[in-house]
Amino acid sequence: MVAPLGAGARVVALLAVLSVSVGLYTRFHHLLTISSLRSNHSAILALVDANPRLAPLCYIGTLVVVIGLTCPGATMLSFIGGILFQQPYASAYAYCGYIVGATISYFVTSFILGDFMRRRLAAKSQLFQKFEANVKRNAFVYLVVARYTLVFPFFFVNAAAALVGVDWRTFVAATSVSCVPGSVIYTTAGRALANMLHSLGDDDVVDKTQLIWMAIADPNVKACLGSLSVALCVLAAVRIMQPPEADKVLGKED
């Protein structure tokens, strides 16, 4: 567990993160609307084609900032990756953004909130209590399952893992394995959105769940998820059979 900040510094850091997150969302959230995407679609694609190296870096960096600061918009940004880039590059870029962003989110939560928030969540949140109880059995396996099955929101897993005290190496390893399906599914859903983008009206609401199911129905996605599921089952079985080592998996209680 990363050592938390002092009370005063913690408050200042929390206010700074919240201010940046709210400021970014207020300033740029309109760019994630259907109207904006349709209006700027051709221009953005032209920019991507003109900057084949810079464009992926900008996309990954944006995902890192949004996920790292727990700013709304990560799901739509994932879809946009599928709109802007071809597979498998879109999945690879989203994957990099997920891993780095989740790791930053983990450390930000550890530094700012630490035991202060852990004690309060443990007393009041049944969702957190359930997460903590399962993580203590086998942190790596449970983190993989939580992300892979989408039982918990992405941001919740990042924050809860930090508050529970999961070792950062275990967190990064589990996140690296379990973010593969999400990166493939969401960017493939983005490709489906691109195909219907110009048929949607400005006020139309995109059914994100429908897009995700359309992506899962894709034969290539099915093959990818099937292969990965088999590999994860084998990996989970190996990890479960290993004796628990609490000091390596969880931070020591203060």
Side-chain angles (χ1 to χ4, degrees):
M1 179 78 176
V2 180
L5 298 173
R10 182 188 295 132
V11 172
V12 172
L14 178 60
L15 290 176
V17 170
L18 289 176
S19 297
V20 173
S21 180
V22 172
L24 288 174
Y25 181 75
T26 302
R27 177 67 180 83
F28 298 109
H29 78 280
H30 66 282
L31 298 176
L32 302 180
T33 62
I34 294 298
S35 175
S36 178
L37 286 174
R38 187 177 59 251
S39 300
N40 300 298
H41 187 204
S42 298
I44 295 174
L45 289 180
L47 282 174
V48 170
D49 291 339
N51 300 275
R53 296 182 180 177
L54 181 60
L57 293 177
C58 290
Y59 174 71
I60 293 171
T62 303
L63 261 181
V64 167
V65 171
V66 169
I67 295 174
L69 297 180
T70 318
C71 185
T75 299
M76 201 62 183
L77 271 175
S78 300
F79 291 160
I80 290 175
I83 295 175
L84 300 182
F85 307 102
Q86 296 293 327
Q87 295 288 20
Y89 303 107
S91 296
Y93 301 152
Y95 176 80
C96 291
Y98 291 168
I99 303 304
V100 179
T103 303
I104 291 175
S105 177
Y106 169 92
F107 282 116
V108 167
T109 303
S110 296
F111 276 117
I112 295 178
L113 300 178
D115 291 338
F116 175 80
M117 185 59 70
R118 187 200 302 181
R119 289 192 294 268
R120 282 155 180 76
L121 286 175
K124 298 180 179 180
S125 173
Q126 293 184 349
L127 184 63
F128 182 82
Q129 292 169 8
K130 179 181 178 181
F131 185 89
E132 183 177 33
N134 284 286
V135 166
K136 285 183 176 179
R137 296 192 186 100
N138 192 312
F140 179 87
V141 172
Y142 191 74
L143 286 176
V144 169
V145 172
R147 288 205 194 277
Y148 190 79
T149 58
L150 305 179
V151 173
F152 299 99
F154 193 86
F155 71 88
F156 177 87
V157 177
N158 298 337
L163 296 177
V164 168
V166 175
D167 181 77
W168 71 269
R169 289 161 295 190
T170 300
F171 175 82
V172 172
T175 301
S176 299
V177 172
S178 56
C179 279
V180 175
S183 63
V184 174
I185 291 172
Y186 281 101
T187 53
T188 302
R191 179 54 54 185
L193 175 60
N195 294 333
M196 65 176 68
L197 192 60
H198 294 283
S199 64
L200 295 171
D202 290 349
D203 297 325
D204 287 346
V205 177
V206 177
D207 188 340
K208 296 178 181 178
T209 301
Q210 181 182 4
L211 288 175
I212 291 172
W213 280 112
M214 290 171 64
I216 293 175
D218 185 283
N220 293 324
V221 174
K222 286 182 177 180
C224 176
L225 294 181
S227 301
L228 184 61
S229 297
V230 173
L232 286 178
C233 288
V234 174
L235 181 60
V238 172
R239 291 301 295 255
I240 289 173
M241 289 187 292
Q242 290 179 345
E245 296 179 62
D247 288 342
K248 291 184 179 180
V249 174
L250 298 174
K252 293 182 179 180
E253 297 292 332
D254 296 333

